[in-house]
Amino acid sequence: MNNEKAGGAMVRVVIYGEHKEETEGLEMMLRAILTEKQRWPVIHTYIGNLESCLHFVRGNPYLIMLVSAMGERGAQIVQKIRENNPSAFLIWLSDEENALESWKLHANAFGLFPPRREMLEELLTDCLLRIEGRGKIGKLQEEYYEKTM
């Protein structure tokens, strides 16, 4: 990623949650995890406003999406997000009922809500590694394209 700051890369995260206190708690936990990893978070939080969230994330493959939504409503939200941005890295925090559904909806990671800090850190680390890999692959593709011109 080209968004570098002294000591680490900037990470863009969008959080969508249905409840204010829970969502704000996730934001604080994410901010702490990323800062400890010397990543500089740019976090946009949407609480209950799915349409604004969908508009913001449309077409950005370098985002990490964190969705906290339970039950059938949670599955509907994740499905809309996936339809809107199939390339974003999606972490879905929900109840046990949605564990299999997360696979069907192509979430990159699934965890039970409320998450333990260690679990959230593991899910986030996996997404960061995938984003870095995607960036390297994209750079290699650009270099190859330039050589063939």
Side-chain angles (χ1 to χ4, degrees):
M1 293 194 318
N2 289 340
N3 297 322
E4 295 289 327
K5 214 174 172 181
M10 182 173 59
V11 178
R12 290 171 287 196
V13 180
V14 173
I15 301 173
Y16 178 83
E18 294 283 286
H19 305 285
K20 185 176 180 10
E21 286 182 20
E22 295 171 356
T23 307
E24 288 174 348
L26 287 172
E27 181 177 346
M28 287 175 39
M29 198 181 324
L30 272 178
R31 195 173 297 282
I33 291 168
L34 288 168
T35 302
E36 287 172 13
K37 293 182 167 296
Q38 295 190 352
R39 305 296 179 110
W40 309 113
V42 175
I43 300 175
H44 297 274
T45 302
Y46 295 88
I47 301 169
N49 189 344
L50 184 59
E51 292 308 312
S52 291
C53 180
L54 292 174
H55 180 73
F56 184 79
V57 303
R58 186 170 289 126
N60 188 341
Y62 291 98
L63 283 175
I64 295 176
M65 293 282 309
L66 176 64
V67 177
S68 173
M70 312 307 147
E72 188 176 323
R73 170 93 172 118
Q76 292 168 353
I77 290 168
V78 169
Q79 182 175 5
K80 285 181 181 181
I81 288 171
R82 254 307 162 232
E83 289 170 356
N84 188 58
N85 191 338
S87 300
F89 291 90
L90 178 64
I91 300 171
W92 185 14
L93 302 175
S94 190
D95 45 11
E96 284 184 17
E97 294 174 18
N98 282 324
L100 183 57
E101 199 66 25
S102 70
W103 180 77
K104 291 178 187 175
L105 294 173
H106 306 287
N108 297 90
F110 178 83
L112 293 177
F113 188 88
R116 291 182 340 274
R117 187 185 196 283
E118 298 79 26
M119 185 217 34
L120 188 57
E121 185 172 357
E122 185 178 313
L123 298 174
L124 190 58
T125 299
D126 183 55
C127 282
L128 290 170
L129 290 172
R130 290 178 188 205
I131 287 173
E132 289 171 358
R134 182 184 284 178
K136 289 176 186 171
I137 291 169
K139 188 171 184 171
L140 289 173
Q141 289 172 336
E142 286 176 18
E143 290 172 2
Y144 174 78
Y145 179 76
E146 287 173 2
K147 288 179 184 175
T148 60
M149 293 300 291

